[in-house]
Amino acid sequence: MGKKKKRVPSKVWCYYCDREFDDEKILVQHQKAKHFKCHVCHKKLSTAGGMAIHVLQVHKESVTKVPNAKTGRESTDIEIYGMQGIPPDVLAAHYGEEEEAPSKAAKLDIPSTQLVGGLMPGPLGVGYPPQSTLGAVQPMYNAAVPVPPVGWAVPPRPQPWLPLHPAASVPLSAPMGYVQQPLFPVQGVRPPLAVPSTSPSLQPSQIAPPGLPVSAPTLPVSQPLFPVVNNSVPTQSSPFSASLPTSVPEGKGSIEAHSSGSASLTGGAGGNSHSYASGPNTGGPSIGPPPVIANKAPAIQPAVNEVYLVWDDEAMSMEERRMSLAKYQMHDENSQMSSIDAAIDRRILESRLAGRMAF
Amino acid sequence: MSTFGAAAANHNPNKSFEVAQPPSDSVSSLSFSPKANFLIATSWDNQVRCWEISRNGTAVASTPKASITHDQPVLCSTWKDDGMTVFSGGCDKQVKMWPLLSGGQPMTVAMHDAPIKEVAWIPEMNLLATGSWDKTLKYWDTRQSNPVHTQQLPDRCYALTVKYPLMVVGTADRNLIIFNLQNPQNEYKRVTSPLKYQTRCVAAFPDQQGFLVGSIEGRVGVHHLDDGQQGKNFTFKCHRDGSEIYSVNSLNFHPIHHTFATAGSDGAFNFWDKDSKQRLKAMSRCSQPIPCSTFNNDGSIFAYSVCYDWSKGAENHNPSTAKSYIFLHLPQESEVKGKPRVGTSGRK
């Protein structure tokens, strides 16, 4: 990407909601789950534009705003993936907000050096020709040039203000990385710096989320998870278990297991994990709650992070629901039917069902 | 069906051995014979199928042996302890006893008023236990047409596990009824599930000191029976991905090491050690859910099925493209052998 200076952004952050994360992988996961997820079928796409196109083509619905995004960052036209694609002015604004204190100091210096720099060539240029002719000019020349001969007098002059310049006015790319860190405590938004030592909650960071207040019983938090001992395949649970070892020596440490009495976490989860019914309760591809989450990030967000049960029907089991489907019941009257006839009937019904279903 | 190209990676990311001629509809239960490597699979296509599984070193082969048909989808199966006879029950509200190794024909040995969800053979009592959605649990002497005893349950039977004398029944209202089979007519204890969501599966500890319970909310509870051991109870989360929480469909103890496996609607299966509270191994996610799984009699083979379990409703089922698979995984010792908790991991 042509970054000349080695830039260590101390935290990556999400363009859409300004939340910060420890690394880009988590950021991408966050974006896919929060901003690039189809509100109808919950398919996770890879970009906002891709999500909009999916919703349009598959569900015949227009999405104009990125879900859970701050105002001004809701456009689906802008191609963001992780930290890539962020417009430079937004990038600058994000870091600029934390840059204010030192940048002011730097800016003050620049004008003065510019003056100095500006002055130097002047008298030099002026004094030069007279030097060869009038002796009166010589002291001025000498005074103007505490610097050796003209040849390389000029280059050193810009140099004093060169390092200061990028620090302040360049879009704060390289040195910004270093400058940023001491500012975090000033901003007061940096408790997550301490987080890795305590809680491994990456997504529910305490940076002013746009209406996604963090609550302790966030289900993705790995606290009660078994730590991975060995041979851990980086499956879906590994981001959580991987972060555990940073705070806890791997394999050891307090498994915050819930005793059967502690209902807090699961109780809390019960209240909010039904943020939208994705499973069979919807009864159709695009019904019910989805419009709620689509574009009203701050107002109607559920009290905690969106998590939902893939199967959320408490009243019946998967098998019971499956049995209610006519195709499995058709053999009730046909107990004497031969298996071939049954197979043919089943195939006919299946193709009818397939035709009827909106795939 | 047995392609091993790039396309196969999706539904078999763990490179398990694929069983030949799998059922044409989803698999509802898998059972290994207690005596030999015969595998039974029951399916929503009304069939009960049997394969002989043979191992040559690291290679595994499956040979279809026989099958019987029910009138409606079959939901559960179990072997008799002599390894000769199979019991299968399902939506036709019957349990068929199939003496397949002696070449006999199946006959009906149990009936309920609603589909039979679970069946278990209790060798110490020579009885068959059946749990049904008609809210009863019945004990059957297979030679008689009437049940030996009918036990009323508070709600539909969703899960059943037997490890004599411990038997645990999970019902629809999140009750867990514990029986001491030495006194089967009385409930030993009725416990509300430590998990706040619908019970999906239960598994009794091999030492009968307690049981595991899995729910639709990606969580497993470890529950001890003894009052003095209640402090050792805990729950843990599993089979979750980001904001999606999948159901835990199956819990199976390893017969030798007494570690256990969980399988979920996310298509993954994991191996866990409850005593050291560790996950021993996380396997890769398959592209479809795993509704059922089982170990063979010596724990050298772990069979699991990859097919749609209805966790996303009927809308996500496309009968014309849906495929069901049964895979056999040979667990390595490091995956199923319990480990003591160590400060730093003991990686090789």
Side-chain angles (χ1 to χ4, degrees), chain B residues 55-301:
Chain B
R55 287 185 65 175
N56 296 319
T58 51
V60 179
S62 59
T63 315
K65 277 304 210 196
S67 74
I68 61 165
T69 308
H70 281 245
D71 294 326
Q72 287 197 274
V74 195
L75 297 181
C76 53
S77 63
T78 191
W79 285 80
K80 205 160 173 220
D81 56 322
D82 60 3
M84 305 277 289
T85 305
V86 170
F87 298 99
S88 55
C91 299
D92 59 359
K93 309 171 199 160
Q94 300 173 14
V95 171
K96 288 196 198 290
M97 178 172 80
W98 179 26
L100 77 152
L101 254 69
S102 52
Q105 285 306 300
M107 56 181 258
T108 300
V109 295
M111 304 219 33
H112 273 264
D113 300 324
I116 298 175
K117 176 67 174 59
E118 295 280 0
V119 67
W121 174 253
I122 311 169
E124 294 83 354
M125 299 165 77
N126 235 358
L127 290 178
L128 185 72
T130 53
S132 162
W133 291 340
D134 68 359
K135 306 189 189 179
T136 64
L137 180 82
K138 296 190 180 181
Y139 298 86
W140 306 84
D141 180 333
T142 57
R143 296 158 298 188
Q144 298 172 15
S145 55
N146 284 327
V148 171
H149 173 66
T150 300
Q151 183 75 28
Q152 286 300 322
L153 298 172
D155 206 328
R156 297 151 282 170
C157 173
Y158 277 359
L160 176 67
T161 180
V162 175
K163 204 72 184 185
Y164 192 85
L166 169 65
M167 179 169 79
V168 183
V169 182
T171 56
D173 51 0
R174 285 178 48 236
N175 270 315
L176 297 162
I177 328 287
I178 304 165
F179 290 90
N180 182 338
L181 289 172
Q182 292 157 341
N183 185 6
Q185 310 211 2
N186 298 323
E187 291 181 12
Y188 171 76
K189 215 200 271 190
R190 188 185 285 200
V191 171
T192 303
S193 169
L195 313 176
K196 302 301 172 191
Y197 289 83
Q198 188 187 92
T199 302
R200 189 87 183 116
C201 48
V202 287
F205 292 178
D207 61 3
Q208 312 113 40
Q209 294 306 304
F211 57 90
L212 305 170
V213 52
S215 77
I216 57 173
E217 187 238 353
R219 198 182 294 262
V220 172
V222 180
H223 188 86
H224 296 83
L225 295 178
D226 190 29
D227 286 334
Q229 292 196 326
Q230 293 302 300
K232 287 166 69 174
N233 293 349
F234 65 95
T235 72
F236 64 92
K237 297 190 285 204
C238 50
H239 299 286
R240 295 173 177 214
D241 172 31
S243 55
E244 295 174 328
I245 299 178
Y246 294 89
S247 167
V248 180
N249 288 329
S250 179
L251 294 164
N252 309 99
F253 271 99
H254 190 278
I256 314 279
H257 298 298
H258 300 167
T259 52
F260 64 95
T262 62
S265 288
D266 58 346
F269 58 102
N270 303 311
F271 296 104
W272 310 82
D273 178 355
K274 67 169 169 67
D275 300 314
S276 60
K277 294 193 185 177
Q278 298 177 104
R279 182 171 63 183
L280 300 169
K281 175 78 175 168
M283 305 301 291
S284 306
R285 275 178 76 172
C286 307
S287 54
Q288 293 186 93
I290 301 178
C292 51
S293 58
T294 188
F295 280 103
N296 69 340
N297 59 352
D298 63 4
S300 57
I301 306 177

Side-chain angles (χ1 to χ4, degrees), chain A residues 13 39 47 58 76 103 122 128 133 140 155 158 180 199 212 217 235 247 262 292 297 307 315 321 328 332 334 354:
Chain A
W13 53 280
H39 68 268
T47 65
V58 177
T76 55
S103 72
Y128 193 68
T133 55
M140 190 168 71
Q180 205 177 14
S199 153
L212 282 174
T235 61
S247 60
S262 75
V292 171
V307 289
R321 184 173 289 269
Y328 290 115
D332 220 349
N334 301 325

Side-chain angles (χ1 to χ4, degrees), chain A residues 247-258:
Chain A
S247 60
V248 167
E250 194 180 84
K252 192 197 272 191
S254 53
I255 285 300
E256 319 258 353
H258 310 270

Side-chain angles (χ1 to χ4, degrees), chain A residues 14-67:
Chain A
C14 176
Y15 166 81
Y16 295 104
C17 60
D18 268 341
R19 273 163 60 167
E20 300 194 355
F21 303 88
D22 284 333
D23 70 83
E24 188 152 14
K25 197 159 81 72
I26 308 289
L27 165 65
V28 171
Q29 281 181 2
H30 153 84
Q31 289 177 334
K32 286 179 85 156
K34 286 277 181 314
H35 306 300
F36 305 156
K37 183 149 81 170
C38 168
H39 68 268
V40 181
C41 67
H42 311 301
K43 185 180 165 83
K44 292 192 232 177
L45 285 304
S46 55
T47 65
M51 185 266 294
I53 290 171
H54 160 84
V55 177
L56 183 64
Q57 289 179 343
V58 177
H59 309 294
K60 314 281 186 276
E61 207 186 292
S62 287
V63 171
T64 50
K65 295 198 262 183
V66 173

Side-chain angles (χ1 to χ4, degrees), chain A residues 43 47 64 84 171 180 186 195 221 227 249 253 260 278 293 300 341 355:
Chain A
K43 185 180 165 83
T47 65
T64 50
Q84 295 170 19
Q180 205 177 14
V186 171
V195 159
V221 169
S260 39
S278 64
I293 33 149
I300 309 184
D341 286 2

Side-chain angles (χ1 to χ4, degrees), chain A residues 190-341:
Chain A
R190 273 295 151 191
L193 270 183
V195 159
S197 65
T198 53
S199 153
S201 57
L202 295 166
Q203 286 206 355
S205 71
Q206 285 103 16
I207 304 173
L212 282 174
V214 174
S215 74
T218 53
L219 294 168
V221 169
S222 64
Q223 279 185 344
L225 256 187
F226 282 10
V228 177
V229 173
N230 224 346
N231 307 325
S232 68
V233 174
T235 61
Q236 65 277 15
S237 45
S238 66
F240 307 110
S241 50
S243 61
L244 244 185
T246 62
S247 60
V248 167
E250 194 180 84
K252 192 197 272 191
S254 53
I255 285 300
E256 319 258 353
H258 310 270
S259 64
S260 39
S262 75
S264 59
L265 197 120
T266 47
N272 54 46
S273 58
H274 291 262
S275 46
Y276 44 95
S278 64
N281 271 347
T282 60
S286 52
I287 282 186
V292 171
I293 33 149
N295 298 309
K296 297 195 173 48
I300 309 184
Q301 276 304 329
V304 293
N305 286 340
E306 276 168 38
V307 289
Y308 68 97
L309 300 182
V310 172
W311 174 267
D312 55 5
D313 189 354
E314 284 282 339
M316 60 166 65
S317 63
M318 298 176 207
E319 290 79 19
E320 283 171 302
R321 184 173 289 269
R322 191 169 188 162
M323 256 318 279
S324 66
L325 197 63
K327 105 170 172 183
Y328 290 115
Q329 288 178 6
M330 76 170 299
H331 296 286
D332 220 349
E333 312 107 32
N334 301 325
S335 46
Q336 301 309 319
M337 198 185 267
S338 76
S339 54
I340 296 175
D341 286 2

